[in-house]
Amino acid sequence: MNNYRRALIFVALLLCAALCCGCAGENPSGSKSKKNSSTAAPATFDEADAPEGLADLGIDPGSAGIFPQIKHDENNSAGFQLESPKEGDTVAVIHTSSGDITLRLFPEQAPKAVTNFISLAENGSYNGTAFNYVQRGAYIRGGSCGSSGNPYGVSSYGGTFEDEFCDSLCNLRGAVSMANNAKDANGSSFLINRTDSASFAEKGGWKAYESAWVGIVNQLSGYKGSNLLQAYIDENGDRFFNPALMPQNVKELYEQNGGNPSFDGAYNAADRGNTVFAQVIDGMEVVDAINALETDKNNAPLENVVIKSVEITVYHARPAA
């Protein structure tokens, strides 16, 4: 976005703040592997639910270029990713200079993301790349390859590919999802969610997310009817997480396990988010250690943690003792 456009948005934000003063206490108008989990009820919502937060404000999602593509998993409940892998499931072992991180992949729920990851792993593209970004307490990011000037990398498809949001996969602690900076802008980089349940609570839990959504609603209300509305959505859509759209059983999963719910595209009013395609099944201590490293002003670890190789294999249960 050019400086002139940013200046216009900044002025509009000041005007919105003045118009919406005293509204912070109002509730937002939005309401809201292969076996079923025995502890969680299936997540159920229509594809139109995610942009409901905009429609309730009188903003037509379609006119803003928002057309949600949410996959509804009829065979698995939200939280199934935390279950033990089944015999023959596809797994990946990321061999790093700090230790191994083992992932269970979900090709049925995120086929394009899994194919991309496997292809890049098998052709050695990830070899020698680093975990180049650490958001302390939240996640680590790595796997940028194919372009020295793009921190999100180039996919095995030769460019970027679209998001794959599924209602049974969430950005819980240990979830591995595609890193991106815009809608349908996935390349090679991935992030591993690190936030634990204690950190989730310390950051304010659901009250913090609800408060953030109220702020977004206030600003959207001020932009409605303005020619700056589209620019605001384009610039800030990744922050449009509406916790009222998330089912209670999914909220409980985050309370119990931790994670970053605002990354879940299924509950983002602008159809933005990070596609979950795997779950760490071994090596979270390595993830935590990388996340605890000292960083520079750009959140890059001062210690270079390198991906030596990524091994794609299948899961075999250990024989009973």
Side-chain angles (χ1 to χ4, degrees), residues 29-32 43-56 61 66-70 72 167 213 240-247 265-271:
S29 56
S31 58
K32 287 200 128 159
T44 57
F45 53 91
D46 298 325
E47 289 192 1
D49 282 358
E52 222 174 62
L54 298 183
D56 288 347
I66 299 171
F67 303 98
Q69 298 294 322
I70 302 167
H72 299 279
D167 60 5
W213 174 243
F240 286 15
F241 169 64
N242 183 357
L245 300 176
M246 183 171 278
Y267 311 106
N268 180 290
D271 195 26

Side-chain angles (χ1 to χ4, degrees), residues 92-142:
V93 183
I94 304 176
H95 301 291
T96 83
S97 55
S98 292
D100 291 349
I101 306 170
T102 303
L103 319 177
R104 174 191 179 188
L105 303 179
F106 302 112
E108 294 180 8
Q109 291 75 20
K112 292 183 179 179
V114 169
T115 297
N116 176 64
F117 182 81
I118 291 176
S119 296
L120 293 173
E122 291 185 334
N123 67 23
S125 295
Y126 285 131
N127 298 359
T129 63
F131 283 97
N132 57 5
Y133 190 91
V134 166
Q135 185 65 49
R136 185 63 57 82
Y139 64 88
I140 62 174
R141 189 182 78 202

Side-chain angles (χ1 to χ4, degrees), residues 228-288:
L228 292 177
L229 174 63
Q230 187 64 59
Y232 179 75
I233 293 175
D234 291 343
E235 184 79 3
N236 299 281
D238 60 336
R239 300 192 294 119
F240 286 15
F241 169 64
N242 183 357
L245 300 176
M246 183 171 278
Q248 184 59 35
N249 67 293
V250 181
K251 287 185 176 182
E252 291 172 357
L253 286 170
Y254 278 106
E255 292 171 355
Q256 295 163 5
N257 300 281
N260 300 296
S262 61
F263 294 172
D264 288 349
Y267 311 106
N268 180 290
D271 195 26
R272 308 279 182 86
N274 302 86
T275 297
V276 176
F277 67 91
Q279 179 74 28
V280 174
I281 58 175
D282 191 28
M284 271 306 292
E285 70 280 359
V286 177
V287 176
D288 289 336

